[in-house]
Amino acid sequence: MTGYNNRAGRIPFWLLKSYLMIPPALWLFFRHQFAPDFTFQRRQLVLFIPALFEILLSSLNYFLKGSFLRPVGFTVWLVLVDWLPLSLTVLVLVAYSKNLVASLRETKESQRAHLWKMVMVLVVFWLMTIIWAAESVFGFDLHILFQTSTAVILFSLAYAAYFDPAFLSAHNPPSKKTK
C-alpha cells in the first residue's frame, strides 16, 4: 500500500468507481462487436444512471460525513452495488456466450478470426467475473489475484492493440455485391 488514501489533501478518485457501470458497458461493447450496424445512441446513457446515482451517493456521504458507504453490514446496499451488477454481468456474459457459439457454428472458417478474438475476450471477462463472485458471494480473499490479473489483462490488450490496431475493432462482414 502506498498510504495515499490516508494522506491529507488527497483526491478521492475511488469515489468515481461503480460496479454498476460494468454490465451496461459490457453489453454495449459486445453489441458493437456482434452487430455491424450498431451505433451508440445518446439515449443509451440511461443505462449508466444507476452507476451515477451510486457515485453521487458515495461522494455526498464522503464529503458530508467523512466516511465511505460500505456494503458490509448493510445488506440492501451490498445487494444493489455488488450482487446486482455481478448478476447482470453474468447475464450479459451468458447471452453473448450463446451468441458467440451460434456465430461460430454459422460462420465460414475464413471469417472466424474476429470471433476467436471475441472468444478470448469473453474468457477473460468470465474469469474476472468468477473471481468477483468468489470474493463477493463466497468471501474468498482474492483481491491480489484480481488486481494482478486485471493488470496483466490490460497490459496484454494494450500490447495487442498497439501491434494490431484493429484487434478490438468491430467485425464488418463482407458486403454483398448488388447489381
Side-chain angles (χ1 to χ4, degrees):
M1 257 323 189
T2 62
Y4 176 81
N5 297 0
N6 300 327
R7 293 184 192 152
R10 68 206 178 279
I11 299 170
F13 61 86
W14 52 88
L15 292 173
L16 299 177
K17 69 146 184 80
S18 171
Y19 288 150
L20 290 166
M21 284 189 239
I22 296 171
L26 205 55
W27 179 74
L28 290 169
F29 170 76
F30 284 121
R31 179 100 190 241
H32 175 67
Q33 295 298 318
F34 288 107
D37 58 339
F38 175 78
T39 54
F40 183 76
Q41 306 288 321
R42 278 186 140 161
R43 68 175 190 253
Q44 291 163 331
L45 288 173
V46 168
L47 298 170
F48 295 94
I49 288 176
L52 181 62
F53 184 70
E54 179 196 353
I55 290 167
L56 288 173
L57 251 170
S58 297
S59 298
L60 279 172
N61 192 70
Y62 179 76
F63 289 115
L64 295 177
K65 295 183 179 180
S67 64
F68 299 106
L69 284 175
R70 298 190 187 277
V72 178
F74 190 38
T75 307
V76 173
W77 188 250
L78 176 68
V79 169
L80 290 176
V81 302
D82 201 9
W83 294 356
L84 176 65
L86 176 62
S87 302
L88 293 173
T89 299
V90 168
L91 287 175
V92 169
L93 291 175
V94 165
Y96 280 104
S97 294
K98 285 181 178 181
N99 189 339
L100 186 61
V101 168
S103 296
L104 281 169
R105 288 184 184 149
E106 297 170 1
T107 306
K108 295 178 186 175
E109 188 67 36
S110 61
Q111 300 171 343
R112 289 188 180 175
H114 176 74
L115 294 176
W116 284 111
K117 289 178 192 176
M118 288 300 100
V119 167
M120 290 181 350
V121 170
L122 267 168
V123 165
V124 165
F125 280 114
W126 270 112
L127 288 173
M128 301 305 287
T129 303
I130 289 167
I131 293 170
W132 180 8
E135 278 191 343
S136 178
V137 178
F138 302 110
F140 293 109
D141 186 13
L142 301 173
H143 194 67
I144 296 297
L145 176 63
F146 188 78
Q147 284 182 332
T148 304
S149 57
T150 301
V152 168
I153 290 165
L154 287 174
F155 177 79
S156 301
L157 287 174
Y159 186 80
Y162 178 77
F163 287 104
D164 180 12
F167 180 74
L168 289 178
S169 62
H171 172 65
N172 294 322
S175 59
K176 297 178 182 178
K177 293 182 180 179
T178 57
K179 293 181 181 179

mmCIF file of all heavy atoms in Angstrom, residues 1 35 51 59 69 89 105 109 128 176:
data_model
loop_
_atom_site.group_PDB
_atom_site.id
_atom_site.type_symbol
_atom_site.label_atom_id
_atom_site.label_comp_id
_atom_site.label_asym_id
_atom_site.label_seq_id
_atom_site.Cartn_x
_atom_site.Cartn_y
_atom_site.Cartn_z
ATOM 1 N N MET A 1 0.834 -1.189 0.000
ATOM 2 C CA MET A 1 0.000 0.000 0.000
ATOM 3 C C MET A 1 0.876 1.248 0.000
ATOM 4 O O MET A 1 1.869 1.314 0.690
ATOM 5 C CB MET A 1 -0.821 0.008 1.267
ATOM 6 C CG MET A 1 -2.256 -0.375 1.282
ATOM 7 S SD MET A 1 -3.219 0.103 -0.069
ATOM 8 C CE MET A 1 -4.792 -0.260 0.417
ATOM 9 N N ALA A 35 -22.938 -6.804 -33.775
ATOM 10 C CA ALA A 35 -23.919 -6.201 -34.679
ATOM 11 C C ALA A 35 -23.227 -5.116 -35.506
ATOM 12 O O ALA A 35 -22.991 -4.017 -35.014
ATOM 13 C CB ALA A 35 -25.080 -5.611 -33.896
ATOM 14 N N ALA A 51 -25.253 3.743 -11.903
ATOM 15 C CA ALA A 51 -23.853 3.939 -11.501
ATOM 16 C C ALA A 51 -23.628 5.385 -11.081
ATOM 17 O O ALA A 51 -22.970 5.654 -10.071
ATOM 18 C CB ALA A 51 -22.911 3.564 -12.636
ATOM 19 N N SER A 59 -20.182 9.895 -2.923
ATOM 20 C CA SER A 59 -19.443 11.159 -2.829
ATOM 21 C C SER A 59 -20.059 12.077 -1.772
ATOM 22 O O SER A 59 -19.339 12.691 -0.976
ATOM 23 C CB SER A 59 -19.403 11.869 -4.180
ATOM 24 O OG SER A 59 -18.733 11.075 -5.121
ATOM 25 N N LEU A 69 -19.398 4.822 2.139
ATOM 26 C CA LEU A 69 -20.537 3.915 2.225
ATOM 27 C C LEU A 69 -19.990 2.519 1.978
ATOM 28 O O LEU A 69 -19.416 2.246 0.931
ATOM 29 C CB LEU A 69 -21.586 4.250 1.166
ATOM 30 C CG LEU A 69 -22.449 5.459 1.426
ATOM 31 C CD1 LEU A 69 -23.343 5.735 0.226
ATOM 32 C CD2 LEU A 69 -23.294 5.260 2.659
ATOM 33 N N THR A 89 -23.904 -8.824 -14.928
ATOM 34 C CA THR A 89 -22.708 -9.146 -15.721
ATOM 35 C C THR A 89 -22.762 -10.596 -16.173
ATOM 36 O O THR A 89 -22.465 -10.905 -17.341
ATOM 37 C CB THR A 89 -21.428 -8.873 -14.904
ATOM 38 O OG1 THR A 89 -21.386 -7.486 -14.564
ATOM 39 C CG2 THR A 89 -20.180 -9.249 -15.679
ATOM 40 N N ARG A 105 -20.774 -21.421 -35.188
ATOM 41 C CA ARG A 105 -21.358 -22.529 -35.967
ATOM 42 C C ARG A 105 -21.785 -22.080 -37.355
ATOM 43 O O ARG A 105 -21.699 -22.849 -38.306
ATOM 44 C CB ARG A 105 -22.565 -23.107 -35.230
ATOM 45 C CG ARG A 105 -22.192 -23.904 -34.021
ATOM 46 C CD ARG A 105 -23.421 -24.512 -33.398
ATOM 47 N NE ARG A 105 -23.059 -25.191 -32.176
ATOM 48 C CZ ARG A 105 -23.844 -25.309 -31.132
ATOM 49 N NH1 ARG A 105 -25.063 -24.789 -31.153
ATOM 50 N NH2 ARG A 105 -23.443 -25.946 -30.055
ATOM 51 N N GLU A 109 -15.178 -20.774 -42.018
ATOM 52 C CA GLU A 109 -13.860 -20.834 -41.375
ATOM 53 C C GLU A 109 -13.014 -19.609 -41.707
ATOM 54 O O GLU A 109 -12.318 -19.073 -40.853
ATOM 55 C CB GLU A 109 -13.125 -22.114 -41.809
ATOM 56 C CG GLU A 109 -11.844 -22.370 -41.078
ATOM 57 C CD GLU A 109 -12.044 -22.695 -39.610
ATOM 58 O OE1 GLU A 109 -13.027 -23.360 -39.261
ATOM 59 O OE2 GLU A 109 -11.199 -22.252 -38.801
ATOM 60 N N MET A 128 -12.662 -12.970 -14.805
ATOM 61 C CA MET A 128 -12.762 -11.839 -13.886
ATOM 62 C C MET A 128 -14.070 -11.895 -13.088
ATOM 63 O O MET A 128 -14.101 -11.579 -11.898
ATOM 64 C CB MET A 128 -12.657 -10.515 -14.645
ATOM 65 C CG MET A 128 -11.360 -10.342 -15.417
ATOM 66 S SD MET A 128 -9.888 -10.518 -14.419
ATOM 67 C CE MET A 128 -9.935 -9.026 -13.501
ATOM 68 N N LYS A 176 -22.329 -7.642 -49.542
ATOM 69 C CA LYS A 176 -22.823 -8.356 -50.719
ATOM 70 C C LYS A 176 -22.877 -7.389 -51.893
ATOM 71 O O LYS A 176 -23.342 -6.269 -51.761
ATOM 72 C CB LYS A 176 -24.207 -8.923 -50.437
ATOM 73 C CG LYS A 176 -24.217 -9.943 -49.337
ATOM 74 C CD LYS A 176 -25.614 -10.435 -49.073
ATOM 75 C CE LYS A 176 -25.604 -11.428 -47.925
ATOM 76 N NZ LYS A 176 -26.932 -11.890 -47.595
#
